[in-house]
Amino acid sequence: MQRGPTPLLWTIFSAGGTLAAFLYPVHLFLTGLAFPLDWLQPPSHEFALRLLSHPLVRLYFFALISLPLFHWAHRFRYTLYDGLSLKHLTVPIVVFTYGSALAGSLAAAYLLWRLP
Amino acid sequence: MSAAAPYTRHHPRWYRRRVSVWWWLESWRYTRFVLRELTSLAVAFFALLALWKVYAIGAGPAAYARFLAWMQSPVFLLLNAVAFLFVVYHSVTWFNLAPRAMAVRIGGKRVPDWVIQAGNYAAWAAVTAFALWVLQRG
């Protein structure tokens, strides 16, 4: 019998991992390499703002930031346990990982909400 | 190994060999596993980059230009390149494990692993092409 929030966290971990697997390579390629290295022309500020202001695109970016942050939280928590043998620090690790993911999600919601 | 291990007279102290923090360098299989687990750091890195970009776009043309200039700095180019490799590794390991995470059955028969994997890769290619197309219209 599973108890507590573990099944829910596992579902969010999966959703964030799937989203990141499909979408992060292309986004990171464009923002991090193709635009700065002038392989492709970055969108103008006007176009970027118009695109990002669309309600569906705001929702998309919220999911794009929030779910993978929780994916990181869940996976990195176990990386710290196993990789660095920190199982005895469960409480601070859980607070740090899920707390950071929550803070990042709230920041994303706030920034996307107050876009012009 | 915890100092507060609950043992009693009838439940003696566990014997546990101390494991080095570098246990994963002993074999390539372990190294690959740890590299896969570390992809989460690249995922978090890009999530924060996206957050920064959203902030910059909302803050106006000057902030957006500063963001683009930061991306051209050597430090970020290096970080982005490393993170890109890890993110692609995340995608590949994720799609390869998909059939084990989700056994799909059609008409009582289990869909072969390679079909699920090929479906994932095809969807990945389609999503990537679509994203490139959208952003090139600006």
Side-chain angles (χ1 to χ4, degrees), chain B:
Chain B
M1 233 161 349
S2 155
Y7 56 87
T8 64
R9 204 152 65 89
H10 305 294
H11 184 261
R13 191 194 283 270
W14 296 106
Y15 172 70
R16 279 177 190 165
R17 202 162 58 87
R18 268 205 165 275
V19 179
S20 150
V21 165
W22 306 105
W23 58 269
W24 47 281
L25 286 175
E26 281 165 22
S27 127
W28 176 227
R29 279 175 66 89
Y30 297 159
T31 310
R32 273 201 330 244
F33 165 75
V34 167
L35 288 179
R36 190 189 84 197
E37 295 306 300
L38 286 178
T39 58
S40 74
L41 287 175
V43 167
F45 170 77
F46 180 72
L48 294 181
L49 213 63
L51 195 61
W52 183 10
K53 191 172 188 175
V54 167
Y55 161 77
I57 291 172
Y64 182 60
R66 275 200 303 277
F67 172 80
L68 292 180
W70 264 113
M71 289 300 105
Q72 289 185 312
S73 68
V75 173
F76 272 97
L77 280 176
L78 184 69
L79 284 173
N80 294 343
V82 172
F84 176 69
L85 293 178
F86 270 95
V87 163
V88 169
Y89 191 59
H90 165 72
S91 302
V92 170
T93 52
W94 195 261
F95 295 143
N96 287 346
L97 282 173
R100 275 195 250 167
M102 179 181 57
V104 181
R105 285 167 189 282
I106 294 176
K109 276 194 153 181
R110 188 170 162 173
V111 176
D113 286 2
W114 70 267
V115 174
I116 296 175
Q117 286 166 345
N120 271 303
Y121 281 104
W124 187 24
V127 164
T128 301
F130 179 73
L132 286 168
W133 175 74
V134 168
L135 283 161
Q136 278 309 288
R137 292 190 310 161

Side-chain angles (χ1 to χ4, degrees), chain A residues 9-65:
Chain A
L9 292 174
W10 180 257
T11 304
I12 297 175
F13 163 80
S14 279
T18 304
L19 206 67
F22 278 113
L23 296 165
Y24 271 31
V26 65
H27 276 285
L28 189 49
F29 173 74
L30 288 170
T31 299
L33 297 171
F35 295 153
L37 293 171
D38 288 324
W39 297 340
L40 291 169
Q41 183 69 27
S44 67
H45 178 261
E46 192 212 342
F47 178 79
L49 186 60
R50 199 149 39 86
L51 194 64
L52 198 58
S53 296
H54 191 283
L56 286 179
V57 180
R58 290 188 209 208
L59 208 60
Y60 169 78
F61 264 86
F62 178 70
L64 190 74
I65 292 168

